[in-house]
Amino acid sequence: MQNIITNEQVISLAFSDGEYVSPDVVLDSEIDSAAHRYIVPIVGKELYKEMLDGSHQTLVTDFAAPALAMAVRTVIQPALNVRTGQGGLYIPTSARNDSGNRSAINGFLKSLRLRREALLRRLSDYLCDHASEYPSYNAGRDIMQKYSINGGYVQSR
């Protein structure tokens, strides 16, 4: 399966230095599904195909790759927070497992989603500002140029 980034790039772009995660936990199918869910609605199918074929390296490296890496992280992070095995689901606990832990986890996941949305907005705004450099980009079909979510409300532009 061909993707615009590798699982190693997901780790290096979406995880900080102190967070060790093996690239093996990032599947090619997760990168592909995140790209189709988050990147293609912005760039369009034609421009995405060009990116897959190796064109537009600045666009990929500086804008699409960071956004896609964070999208992949938001997809896989909940699974990283728990473990599964033959005995089923295992949720790490501590002697003080209380609502404070749940609140911290929810805040962390919200932070990741906000970072993802900021990177997607950055990609969309860059494409809109440089549309003449990308003839296959159509700002009229860019979902981020049509809608935004602010304060939990979907707003059309």
Side-chain angles (χ1 to χ4, degrees), residues 73-116:
R73 179 163 186 184
T74 61
V75 168
I76 68 171
Q77 187 65 51
L80 295 175
N81 293 346
V82 297
R83 297 286 176 249
T84 59
Q86 290 181 345
L89 184 65
Y90 169 74
I91 301 172
T93 61
S94 67
R96 293 193 40 134
N97 192 16
D98 56 16
S99 63
N101 290 343
R102 198 172 314 116
S103 176
I105 290 168
N106 290 338
F108 176 66
L109 294 174
K110 181 178 180 180
S111 167
L112 292 177
R113 288 190 303 271
L114 290 172
R115 288 169 53 192
R116 178 194 64 210

Side-chain angles (χ1 to χ4, degrees), residues 120-139:
L120 291 170
R121 170 71 50 207
R122 181 175 172 259
L123 167 63
S124 177
D125 289 347
Y126 173 81
L127 281 170
C128 195
D129 292 344
H130 297 88
S132 62
E133 299 171 32
Y134 305 99
S136 54
Y137 170 71
N138 181 344

